[in-house]
Amino acid sequence: MGLRIVQEAARRGSRNYQTVLKLLSQGAEIRQTEDAQLLLDERQSILSSLRQESPQEGQPGIPSRTATADQLLEQRDQFIARTIGETLRAGELGVLLIGAHHNVQPHLPVDITVVAVKGRRQVSDYLSDLFQGRDDARLQELAAYLASPVDVRA
């Protein structure tokens, strides 16, 4: 199922998934890192909060996160880190493509070295500025940073 998701997203133009397909063709493996129930629970929590919010509350276009959604995200991050720690073997290189709200790194075993290709804070700031439209100059600066080439030598 993971391969089908990767192939479909790559076909639709996702550069991340196109990169994953290239890695798969070079011998990489897909490993499940998510707990499906936690993912569904978080989605349901967010959808419930959207149905309860009036248009005047929160920022337009940005669902406000509830404490429950934040707790579920934290549980997902812990599960992802635990799964990586249990499945990544000595000498292997892992690649985790994850959304800006996640913070998996603090939960990873200490013997796993992390090389972030973009700063979590800048990604989060970009998304916030994109939807809130506060500072066009800052948004352009962050967009240029996110679109800049990545140096992953470690």
Side-chain angles (χ1 to χ4, degrees):
M1 180 169 68
L3 179 58
R4 283 197 329 252
I5 292 169
V6 169
Q7 290 170 331
E8 179 60 21
R11 186 187 68 74
R12 291 181 180 208
S14 167
R15 295 177 83 191
N16 285 346
Y17 285 105
Q18 290 169 0
T19 300
V20 171
L21 269 183
K22 182 177 179 182
L23 292 170
L24 289 170
S25 73
Q26 297 171 353
E29 302 171 18
I30 298 174
R31 296 191 186 152
Q32 180 178 342
T33 57
E34 284 277 11
D35 177 315
Q37 190 58 55
L38 285 174
L39 186 62
L40 292 171
D41 290 349
E42 183 188 14
R43 179 181 183 273
Q44 186 58 44
S45 174
I46 291 169
L47 290 174
S48 293
S49 72
L50 286 174
R51 284 191 288 271
Q52 294 172 7
E53 245 181 50
S54 70
Q56 294 83 5
E57 294 174 341
Q59 295 295 326
I62 302 177
S64 56
R65 294 192 58 85
T66 64
T68 302
D70 286 342
Q71 182 181 29
L72 289 165
L73 180 65
E74 175 72 11
Q75 290 174 3
R76 284 179 59 209
D77 289 347
Q78 291 171 3
F79 184 91
I80 291 166
R82 187 171 49 254
T83 303
I84 291 169
E86 292 170 357
T87 60
L88 190 64
R89 295 180 293 269
E92 285 187 322
L93 173 69
V95 177
L96 177 64
L97 304 173
I98 196 98
H101 288 291
H102 286 273
N103 193 15
V104 174
Q105 187 172 350
H107 306 292
L108 289 168
V110 296
D111 62 334
I112 293 178
T113 301
V114 175
V115 178
V117 296
K118 296 293 177 178
R120 228 179 126 252
R121 181 85 232 142
Q122 290 94 327
V123 174
S124 181
D125 287 353
Y126 170 79
L127 291 172
S128 179
D129 286 0
L130 178 66
F131 289 110
Q132 293 176 7
R134 291 185 303 223
D135 183 349
D136 285 341
R138 175 74 174 146
L139 179 64
Q140 293 302 317
E141 177 185 318
L142 290 165
Y145 163 74
L146 294 176
S148 66
V150 174
D151 181 6
V152 291
R153 288 176 273 154

